[in-house]
Amino acid sequence: MTTSPARPKADTTLWQRLPWVILTLALCLLAGALFNSGQGKQPALEWYAQSGLQQLEWDNYLSWLRFNGQGEQARRLEQQLSQSDRHAYAAALFAHDFVADSDARARDFWTASQREQWKTLRSQVPAQLASSPLYRWGLTDQAPRPAHFFTAPLTGAPLWLTLLALALLVPLAAPLEQRIGHGKTLLVWIAGCLLAGGGYLLLAQPGQLPLHGAAPALLGLFGAAIASQKAALSLTLPGDNGKQLTLPAVTLWALPAALLGALSLQADPLLPTLCAGILALAGGALLVQILLPRESFGASSTEVTPVLTPTQQQELTRGWEALARLDGEAAANAFGNILESEPQQFDALTGQFTALQLAQEELAWQHLANTLFSHPADAPGQATQVSQCWKQFRQRSHTPIETQAGWQLVKTLTRAAEFQQAEALVEQLDDHESRKSAVRTLRQALEKEGLSHRAKALTR
């Protein structure tokens, strides 16, 4: 028997599927771009040039650099000033060693009145920095306080760049947050901020603009989303027909590449900012490999997947090429040829699942879905692919799946760490001999994740 489709609580509601962490970050980043642009002249630098502090110490600072073996840096700062770039003054403004040395040897080059004037002006520096958007919220290469790593994305960068970064993240946001959870998504964001700040400091020179803008840190989320997307990404196109657009996982790397290209158009300085973005991108991709749930949890099958014959391999390739052309009929024929001899071949099953949707063969698609959901899916990456297919099935079909397939699907969703969906399915399915094993697997997984209250709430 199968359950009645009239049980609404079995379906995960829209608000549960939304990527709440990324949505909250997006609102904060947009607010930062709108209300804390950091554009234009920096008040602290203008004050340094006009207050008399620059006149007192700038030549001394350049001499101090040369005396300490930093003549090349002094030359770069002079070149910046010759190009009317007053950000060079930031090098002296944040030069704590120079300030300490000047305080100790002030009598060597300043009169008593000049010493008092210098000390008075230096005491005003913190208040002046607090009035400068980038130096207040962003990261300076001379003062890499960790707190600045997290506020730098909220400062500066053109609004169009922030909007572009968030728009490119849209197709990846929900799959990422559903796959690794809200807390781990936030952890990836924090890591992206730290890595972007560290990458910036690798190449930044004294006197350059501090790190600012959301794009470098957001690239950490791009790396995590794409590296965790083992299967092709299916997107529902706008319209009533609900057509699916399938994007192979490797093509998704074009999204961060486009963002890096856009970032290079306005980055100042260019190389440190690009280094920040690239390091965050790579770090996010590596971090998600640690955060991904273990696909082997609860798996008991040790069977080796049969090796495809050359002919079957050609059919599989032909099927995926047809899907790339959105030719559902040709893809269904190719995958069907494999399934005639290997009805449990996983790649052919997942390909046929998408192909029959494109071909709009509803009855065949329903039957194929039950076969796919009955698959053990215990090889690495397979559980995540099945969970994505299940989401598509729930969105498109109002026909319940077969009970036996449903209880196997509970195990598969558990291995994919889709606990909410697995719990909802437990409440939806009728009793079956495999029910006890599936519920036990889910309960153990919830207890392992520290969700004992949800494990106890499962019906027995």
Side-chain angles (χ1 to χ4, degrees):
M1 293 178 62
T2 57
T3 185
S4 170
R7 295 183 181 179
K9 78 173 190 177
D11 191 20
T12 304
T13 57
L14 176 61
W15 71 269
Q16 291 175 311
R17 298 196 301 268
L18 287 176
W20 288 111
V21 170
I22 297 178
L23 282 176
T24 303
L25 287 174
L27 292 175
C28 294
L29 295 175
L30 288 174
L34 287 170
F35 302 112
N36 191 24
S37 66
Q39 301 301 310
K41 298 179 180 180
Q42 291 298 300
L45 302 181
E46 296 299 308
W47 172 85
Y48 182 83
Q50 297 172 6
S51 65
L53 186 57
Q54 178 264 335
Q55 184 178 359
L56 278 172
E57 68 179 20
W58 183 252
D59 290 339
N60 290 346
Y61 175 64
L62 295 179
S63 299
W64 179 81
L65 287 176
R66 296 186 178 97
F67 181 79
N68 287 278
Q70 301 180 57
E72 181 61 25
Q73 180 178 322
R75 185 191 66 78
R76 283 197 299 268
L77 294 175
E78 288 178 322
Q79 183 178 4
Q80 278 184 260
L81 281 179
S82 68
Q83 298 171 353
S84 301
D85 183 1
R86 289 194 171 184
H87 282 283
Y89 290 145
L93 203 59
F94 295 101
H96 304 298
D97 292 342
F98 164 71
V99 173
D101 188 60
S102 297
D103 190 39
R105 300 191 304 108
R107 289 182 175 83
D108 296 343
F109 39 81
W110 285 328
T111 65
S113 60
Q114 286 176 325
R115 291 198 301 271
E116 289 301 318
Q117 181 188 11
W118 180 75
K119 290 181 180 180
T120 300
L121 292 173
R122 266 291 163 185
S123 67
Q124 299 174 16
V125 168
Q128 294 298 326
L129 292 177
S131 68
S132 286
L134 288 182
Y135 289 113
R136 180 181 180 186
W137 298 109
L139 169 69
T140 64
D141 56 294
Q142 292 291 330
R145 289 180 288 174
H148 287 170
F149 291 154
F150 308 120
T151 57
L154 302 176
T155 305
L159 179 60
W160 70 266
L161 183 60
T162 302
L163 288 172
L164 175 64
L166 294 174
L168 292 176
L169 188 60
V170 166
L172 304 175
L176 171 65
E177 201 156 326
Q178 291 171 11
R179 193 175 302 117
I180 68 175
H182 305 305
K184 292 176 181 177
T185 301
L186 181 60
L187 181 60
V188 170
W189 165 255
I190 292 173
C193 291
L194 290 171
L195 290 168
Y200 183 87
L201 289 179
L202 288 176
L203 298 180
Q205 300 294 330
Q208 290 182 330
L209 278 169
L211 179 67
H212 61 288
L218 280 175
L219 281 162
L221 292 174
F222 278 89
I226 299 172
S228 63
Q229 185 70 37
K230 304 301 183 182
L233 179 65
S234 295
L235 302 176
T236 303
L237 299 178
D240 297 333
N241 53 12
K243 287 187 176 180
Q244 298 282 327
L245 174 61
T246 302
L247 298 176
V250 67
T251 63
L252 298 177
W253 287 104
L255 297 177
L259 182 55
L260 284 170
L263 184 62
S264 66
L265 297 177
Q266 65 85 44
D268 182 19
L270 175 61
L271 292 180
T273 305
L274 288 181
C275 181
I278 292 172
L279 192 61
L281 180 68
L286 292 174
L287 178 61
V288 79
Q289 303 302 320
I290 301 173
L291 299 178
L292 276 174
R294 295 182 181 273
E295 292 280 339
S296 59
F297 184 86
S300 59
S301 173
T302 57
E303 294 182 5
V304 178
T305 303
V307 178
L308 294 177
T309 65
T311 301
Q312 290 173 331
Q313 188 63 53
Q314 289 177 1
E315 290 289 343
L316 192 63
T317 301
R318 189 165 66 87
W320 289 116
E321 289 176 348
L323 281 184
R325 300 192 306 269
L326 301 181
D327 188 347
E329 184 176 351
N333 290 335
F335 293 127
N337 290 337
I338 300 174
L339 294 174
E340 286 180 0
S341 56
E342 296 289 345
Q344 291 295 309
Q345 212 291 322
F346 186 80
D347 290 335
L349 282 172
T350 53
Q352 189 73 316
F353 182 85
T354 302
L356 292 175
Q357 288 185 76
L358 290 176
Q360 298 185 355
E361 298 183 18
E362 294 298 325
L363 292 178
W365 180 65
Q366 294 280 349
H367 177 73
L368 188 282
N370 282 289
T371 303
L372 175 60
F373 298 146
S374 299
H375 194 284
D378 50 12
Q382 290 184 353
T384 300
Q385 288 181 262
V386 173
S387 70
Q388 294 297 322
C389 293
W390 171 238
K391 293 173 186 176
Q392 296 175 35
F393 183 85
R394 287 168 44 247
Q395 292 171 0
R396 178 164 178 161
S397 175
H398 299 290
T399 302
I401 62 172
E402 296 175 359
T403 303
Q404 183 175 355
W407 288 115
Q408 174 58 49
L409 181 58
V410 169
K411 293 183 177 181
T412 303
L413 292 172
T414 301
R415 287 198 298 276
E418 296 286 355
F419 301 131
Q420 288 185 343
Q421 294 189 51
E423 291 170 85
L425 195 55
V426 166
E427 298 298 325
Q428 182 183 20
L429 293 170
D430 288 335
D431 199 7
H432 189 269
E433 60 183 11
S434 57
R435 180 184 187 281
K436 185 177 180 180
S437 173
V439 172
R440 181 174 63 249
T441 299
L442 177 56
R443 185 179 292 117
Q444 290 173 351
L446 290 172
E447 291 174 348
K448 185 177 180 180
E449 292 291 320
L451 302 172
S452 300
H453 62 290
R454 287 165 57 180
K456 294 178 181 178
L458 289 174
T459 57
R460 288 173 167 76

